[in-house]
Amino acid sequence: YNGVISTEIVFLEVSIDMNIGLNIRTLRKNADLSQEMLAERLGVTFQAVSRWERNESYPDITLLPAIANFLEQKEKKKQKK
């Protein structure tokens, strides 16, 4: 029983992890932004953005609202064109 639960938890963690990087990359590309452009806006290095997108690390939780707001604004501007 314990083996099944821990396997499910690990699977859930992997699924969540993969979505964060994939979501950042997909939204950034849809907004026609380079990693450098997003990094500059957020005050981080482009290497940090690259690591997020490859799920090697995660953005600081305090950056998540800024990431979401910036990418949402870019997407809205793109849709207006």
Side-chain angles (χ1 to χ4, degrees):
Y1 186 74
N2 285 337
V4 173
I5 290 175
S6 61
T7 302
E8 290 174 4
I9 292 170
V10 169
F11 178 74
L12 177 60
E13 288 176 3
V14 169
S15 296
I16 291 169
D17 293 348
M18 292 189 335
N19 288 334
I20 292 172
L22 179 61
N23 287 340
I24 291 172
R25 184 178 71 222
T26 300
L27 292 169
R28 176 184 61 76
K29 287 185 173 192
N30 286 345
D32 295 324
L33 293 171
S34 67
Q35 289 179 339
E36 291 85 358
M37 294 165 75
L38 179 58
E40 183 178 320
R41 172 68 177 179
L42 298 172
V44 299
T45 65
F46 76 90
Q47 293 95 333
V49 174
S50 177
R51 285 191 300 271
W52 302 340
E53 292 180 357
R54 290 179 286 146
N55 294 306
E56 291 179 2
S57 67
Y58 304 101
D60 186 279
I61 195 165
T62 61
L63 283 176
L64 294 179
I67 293 168
N69 290 334
F70 182 64
L71 292 174
E72 180 181 33
Q73 289 172 1
K74 287 293 187 181
E75 183 64 27
K76 285 181 181 179
K77 286 181 184 178
K78 184 178 177 182
Q79 289 176 354
K80 287 182 181 180
K81 291 183 180 180

